[in-house]
Structures are given as C-alpha cells and as structure tokens.
Amino acid sequence: MGLPDEEEQLISKLRQIKQETKPPRPEWKQIGKERLIRQAGTVQRRRRVSQVSACVGTIGAAALIGIWLSSGHVAEQTTIGEPQASLPAAFDQEPVKSQQIPSVASAEQPVNSQEAPAGNDPAKKNVSTDQDEPVAKVDSTPQTTTSMERSMTPIEERALRFLQEKLGEESKQYQIDPGHSRETDGYIAFRKLVHGIPLQLHSAAVEVNPHTGKMSLLLYPIEESGLGITATSEQSSVIDKTKAAQELASGLRLVYAGKDRPVLQYMSDPQLVIDAKTGKPLDNSQGEKRIVPLKTEGKRLIITDTDKAEEVMKKEFGIPVTGKAFMTIDEKAISFIWQMSDKREVRLKTADDGSFVGYELDGSFEQGGIPLASHQQAQDAALVRVAKYLPSDVAEVLVEKALQERGQASFTFIPLYQGVPVVDYPYLVTVEMGSGIVTAIQGDFSRSSLVLPSHDKAISLDAAKQQFLKKAPLELVYLNSHSNPVLVYQVRLDARKPWAIDALTGHTTE
C-alpha cells in the first residue's frame, strides 16, 4: 500500500529538480551553433570538390577527343599557317563555368608547356622561357650570386625583419653577410651596399639573445670615400667573371672539412681574391703559407677542478698563478679564472667534459722572459708550446696565418693528415715579442690521434678546377673600405655552409 505514496514522492522530487535546473548558458548555445556551421561548411566544400573533379574530368575528356579528331579528317581542313590549338589554348576556349578553377589550371600549365613539342607555339606564349636560359649558361660561365639566391635561415629572417623595423627604407641598403655571421651565438651580420655592391667588412649586426629572444641592432661607422661615383662607372671597368674564375681556380686545394666527421673536399683559398680591374690576385696581408714539420705527442689534458687547473698552468705551461681560481660554467665550456693583485688575469678554458681547450693571459708577464728578435723565433716558440698536445699522427702543420702587430705575433696552424689540411681544426697561438711568452693558445686538444678517410679515390685537381669554372658562385665586393677601397671578385663567403666540391663525387655542396 505504500508504493503509491513512494511514487508520488519520487514524481514530486523530479518536478522539483526540473524546476531548479538552470537553462543552458548562452555561450554554450553559441558554441554549438558555430560547430554546426563549421560542419555544414565542411559538407559544402566536399560537395564543391566533387563538382570540380567532375568538371576537370569532363574538360580532360573533351580535350582528348578534340586532339583525336584533329589528328584525323579535321586536320585536312586546317591550313599550314594555322597552328593547332594546344591543351592550354583549349582551356582558354572553355565556357566561363570551367574557369571557376584557375588554381588547378595554373598549377598544371607550366608542366604541360615544358613537355610540349618545340613547334607548339601557343604553349610557348603561356609560359616564359627566360628562366631556362641561365640554366644552359651555368656550364660555361661561373655563377654570380646575390643575397636573394641564398635561402635564409629562420634566425636570419628574424634579424632581417628587425633591421627593417628599425631602419625602415634605409634597410634596403643592407644585405645579410653570411661570411661573418655566427648563428650559434645569435649574431647575424649585415653588409652595406654602395652602388649595389657590398662592402666586405660587415657594417651592421643584429644580436639575438638565445635565452630571451631579445634583439639589438649594432651599426658600425663606415667610410665611403673613394668607393666610386656611380654603379655604372664602377662595373663598366671590371674584368669578365670567367677570367676571374680562372684565377680563383688556382687557389683550389684538397682538404678535410667538417668538425664531427671531416670529409674530403676541394675548397678555394678563402684569402684569395682577384682585383676586378686588373685581374691579378691581391697581395696576401696575412703572411705566406708554408708547411712546417714537427714532432707531436698527442698528450691529453683533462681538468676537473680548480686544483688540477692550477697544477696545469704551473707545471705544463710555466704560468705562475696565485690564489684560488673561480669558475664560470656555460652550456659548452668551463673557465677557470685567476685575478691577481697586480692587475694580471689568467683564463684557462676546457670543454664540458674537462678536455683542455686553451688559455689566455691578460696583463704584463714579462718577468723572466727573453725578448724575441724575429717573427721566425716567435713561430718556433708557438710550435714548441702546442706540439706536445697535437694528435700523435700529425707530422706537419700548415701556417695558415702569420701576423705581427702591437708587440704581438699571432699564428694559425692547420694540422695535415697524410699531407692534406684538416681545415676545421685550427690552432691559434699568440706570442708576446717583448718577453717570448706564449700569451694565448686555443684549439681542439681532445684528440690523441686523427682517423680520417683515405684520399686515394679523390678526383683530380684538374677535374675539380673544371667543376669550379662551371659552378663557383662569385661575388663582386669592395675590400679594405677604410683605407684604399678595391673592387674584387671572390668566392661567396658563408660561415654556415662554405661552398666546396665533394672530392669523391665531384658534386658541389649547393
């Protein structure tokens, strides 16, 4: 008997819940409405695609039937002076309804026109053949590259937009300088254009903080006097770039390039440039290149703490450091720094695994030193300092650079492996002429030996020169703009991807 009462109570509770329940919120109604609209739009687009596909199929069938008929009795009615309509021309004659799909026609039209016979005149009118001409000329004349022909990296695009934002119309006078940029450090260099010709020394730079993304613009002072009056007057007197390429080809050399896995390549000497008016190589201001034999040991130095760092500086290099060093650690390196009371400072640097990278002295360290009388003596002192730590299978080094200024002699040594330079393993040494002390060394001292592929299967130098003459990207630039500006030809500089020829395949690195 109690069942009806329970039913009434249940019904009354349900009615109460219904009355207390709030209606749907307006925003949810709007979201549902928008979702329905999107679904309806999707269905409509699919229907249009189906219609377009049917239309394209109809047009294609009609065109094929027209071509079949024109090859039969219809061809007899045409005269010699009336060319037959090609497939693109047939598209032009279709009713307006078929022109509702221009993207499909424009995407396919260039392909059809390139494959059409040479005598098909209407196809030639639809696609310009100007772009095909330089391709044929690449094999006979070297390429002259511009900044537009080189694809930019994302960080370069950001830097360029920032430059345009800050300089406005003046930014058109600058172009990216890949030869002096350091992307890993967030440093993008720019060269200024004078009469459309870039200055070799970079004129501006955008620095991008790798952690915060904050950017800043650096503008360097430029002396533009003596850079010619007009672009026409400058470029009218330069030699043909083919002749310049022949001179630059004389600087080709077989090298091992690459840091992690060096590969065999033919590369042009980066210091070789050709006077664009005389056609002669400019004098090298960085010293004569020469090969020097030496005995190496492949000794490795591993520095893990301040005590070991102090021991290395005193016993290995004879540098009297005092006090405890403090350390700075970043993503790729560890530095030990001694700041002594007499304003002298010593820095020792290692890789993140503790492998010795180099050291640098700042201040006067002449006590007990012997003055050097010649540049040759400085070179001997530099080689003695680094020879012990070079890979044991290196028997010769190439003196790549040798400079002397402000009482300092600086050298760049490139190790040779079986007579071939390993260009991405340079060793930099600075010697103080007044004391004979080696004040700085830097390089990758982490290898006790080099294991590199044999160069027996490399293509010949003559074959590499022929490829160079066909493909080398030459550029015309102003050099030494601060003193005596000279218009020169050089191989395009690119720190990110230097131009080279694969010594095993003969292909270029482009």
Side-chain angles (χ1 to χ4, degrees):
M1 296 296 293
L3 185 60
D5 294 337
E6 293 178 359
E7 290 180 351
E8 289 179 2
Q9 293 177 2
L10 180 61
I11 291 172
S12 64
K13 287 183 179 180
L14 289 174
R15 287 174 179 173
Q16 182 179 359
I17 292 172
K18 181 178 180 181
Q19 293 175 357
E20 293 176 354
T21 302
K22 295 182 180 180
R25 294 166 57 183
E27 52 267 29
W28 288 109
K29 290 183 179 180
Q30 182 66 24
I31 291 173
K33 183 179 179 180
E34 292 177 354
R35 186 174 298 172
L36 289 173
I37 291 173
R38 285 196 298 270
Q39 291 176 351
T42 301
V43 172
Q44 188 175 7
R45 284 194 296 272
R46 289 176 179 174
R47 185 175 299 171
R48 287 178 181 175
V49 170
S50 300
Q51 293 174 352
V52 169
S53 300
C55 181
V56 172
T58 303
I59 293 172
L64 290 174
I65 292 172
I67 293 172
W68 176 73
L69 291 175
S70 64
S71 63
H73 65 279
V74 178
E76 297 175 359
Q77 300 176 4
T78 61
T79 61
I80 297 176
E82 297 176 350
Q84 299 177 5
S86 65
L87 185 58
F91 271 102
D92 294 337
Q93 296 172 4
E94 287 292 324
V96 176
K97 183 177 180 180
S98 66
Q99 295 178 3
Q100 294 177 357
I101 50 172
S103 60
V104 176
S106 62
E108 298 295 335
Q109 184 170 315
V111 177
N112 291 337
S113 64
Q114 289 175 2
E115 296 177 355
N120 199 338
D121 295 337
K124 288 185 178 180
K125 292 180 182 179
N126 287 331
V127 180
S128 173
T129 59
D130 293 342
Q131 295 179 353
D132 294 337
E133 292 298 326
V135 176
K137 293 181 179 179
V138 168
D139 291 336
S140 58
T141 58
Q143 302 174 7
T144 303
T145 61
T146 64
S147 59
M148 297 301 294
E149 295 174 355
R150 176 185 175 275
S151 59
M152 289 189 293
T153 62
I155 190 173
E156 288 177 337
E157 292 177 349
R158 287 185 59 196
L160 180 59
R161 287 195 298 267
F162 185 75
L163 182 80
Q164 293 169 342
E165 176 187 338
K166 296 301 180 183
L167 299 185
E169 195 69 17
E170 187 182 349
S171 65
K172 295 181 180 179
Q173 301 177 17
Y174 292 87
Q175 67 173 204
I176 289 178
D177 181 6
H180 294 94
S181 296
R182 301 188 303 274
E183 286 195 24
T184 54
D185 298 330
Y187 183 90
I188 305 301
F190 289 83
R191 301 186 295 190
K192 189 168 186 181
L193 301 176
V194 180
H195 311 313
I197 303 172
L199 300 176
Q200 179 55 38
L201 295 177
H202 64 282
S203 316
V206 172
E207 290 184 333
V208 183
N209 188 303
H211 303 291
T212 64
K214 183 179 179 181
M215 294 185 288
S216 57
L217 174 62
L218 308 175
L219 295 175
Y220 300 100
I222 301 172
E223 179 59 50
E224 298 184 18
S225 61
L227 293 177
I229 301 174
T230 65
T232 303
S233 64
E234 284 289 81
Q235 299 190 32
S236 61
S237 59
V238 301
I239 64 170
D240 182 74
K241 60 178 177 289
T242 302
K243 182 179 179 181
Q246 292 172 348
E247 291 290 339
L248 287 168
S250 64
L252 272 181
R253 58 179 180 174
L254 182 64
V255 301
Y256 287 100
K259 189 66 177 176
D260 296 329
R261 294 183 178 180
V263 296
L264 281 167
Q265 293 180 341
Y266 278 101
M267 301 182 72
S268 177
D269 185 347
Q271 300 173 26
L272 178 62
V273 295
I274 305 300
D275 190 312
K277 296 185 177 181
T278 66
K280 302 296 182 182
L282 287 186
D283 293 336
N284 186 359
S285 61
Q286 298 186 344
E288 180 183 358
K289 298 180 187 295
R290 54 192 179 277
I291 295 176
V292 180
L294 76 168
K295 184 177 181 181
T296 58
E297 299 181 15
K299 182 177 181 179
R300 291 193 62 193
L301 297 175
I302 303 297
I303 302 161
T304 56
D305 53 39
T306 55
D307 292 336
K308 182 63 176 179
E310 181 178 353
E311 178 186 344
V312 167
M313 290 306 301
K314 290 181 177 179
K315 295 184 178 181
E316 289 288 336
F317 304 122
I319 306 298
V321 295
T322 57
K324 287 289 184 180
F326 70 88
M327 300 170 59
T328 61
I329 303 174
D330 57 30
E331 296 177 354
K332 298 181 180 180
I334 303 173
S335 295
F336 300 86
I337 304 171
W338 292 267
Q339 291 181 332
M340 291 171 272
S341 59
D342 49 359
K343 296 183 179 180
R344 294 186 299 171
E345 183 175 286
V346 178
R347 288 176 174 265
L348 185 150
K349 191 174 181 179
T350 74
D352 55 1
D353 63 350
S355 299
F356 174 71
V357 172
Y359 73 78
E360 182 179 3
L361 311 182
D362 185 17
S364 177
F365 286 83
E366 296 184 1
Q367 293 84 352
I370 302 175
L372 302 177
S374 67
H375 199 260
Q376 182 62 47
Q377 289 181 340
Q379 176 182 301
D380 295 340
L383 289 173
V384 168
R385 175 52 52 93
V386 299
K388 184 187 299 185
Y389 312 104
L390 296 184
S392 59
D393 46 4
V394 172
E396 297 174 316
V397 294
L398 172 67
V399 183
E400 183 79 355
K401 297 180 183 179
L403 302 173
Q404 182 175 342
E405 57 182 359
R406 299 178 182 178
Q408 300 273 349
S410 58
F411 304 90
T412 300
F413 302 118
I414 302 294
L416 300 184
Y417 181 78
Q418 298 180 357
V420 178
V422 188
V423 293
D424 288 319
Y425 281 83
Y427 296 93
L428 286 65
V429 187
T430 303
V431 182
E432 192 174 59
M433 297 296 293
S435 64
I437 294 177
V438 177
T439 58
I441 61 174
Q442 180 181 339
D444 186 346
F445 298 95
S446 64
R447 294 173 178 251
S448 58
S449 63
L450 292 174
V451 180
L452 300 174
S454 172
H455 55 81
D456 294 340
K457 296 183 180 180
I459 64 174
S460 66
L461 178 59
D462 289 338
K465 287 183 178 180
Q466 292 299 318
Q467 188 73 340
F468 181 90
L469 295 175
K470 295 176 183 179
K471 301 287 187 179
L474 307 189
E475 60 179 2
L476 193 63
V477 301
Y478 282 112
L479 197 62
N480 300 330
S481 61
H482 289 289
S483 54
N484 183 26
V486 181
L487 200 58
V488 302
Y489 278 110
Q490 66 179 13
V491 177
R492 180 193 66 206
L493 300 179
D494 194 330
R496 174 169 57 95
K497 188 178 181 181
W499 189 87
I501 301 170
D502 189 309
L504 299 181
T505 67
H507 297 156
T508 64
T509 57
E510 293 176 318

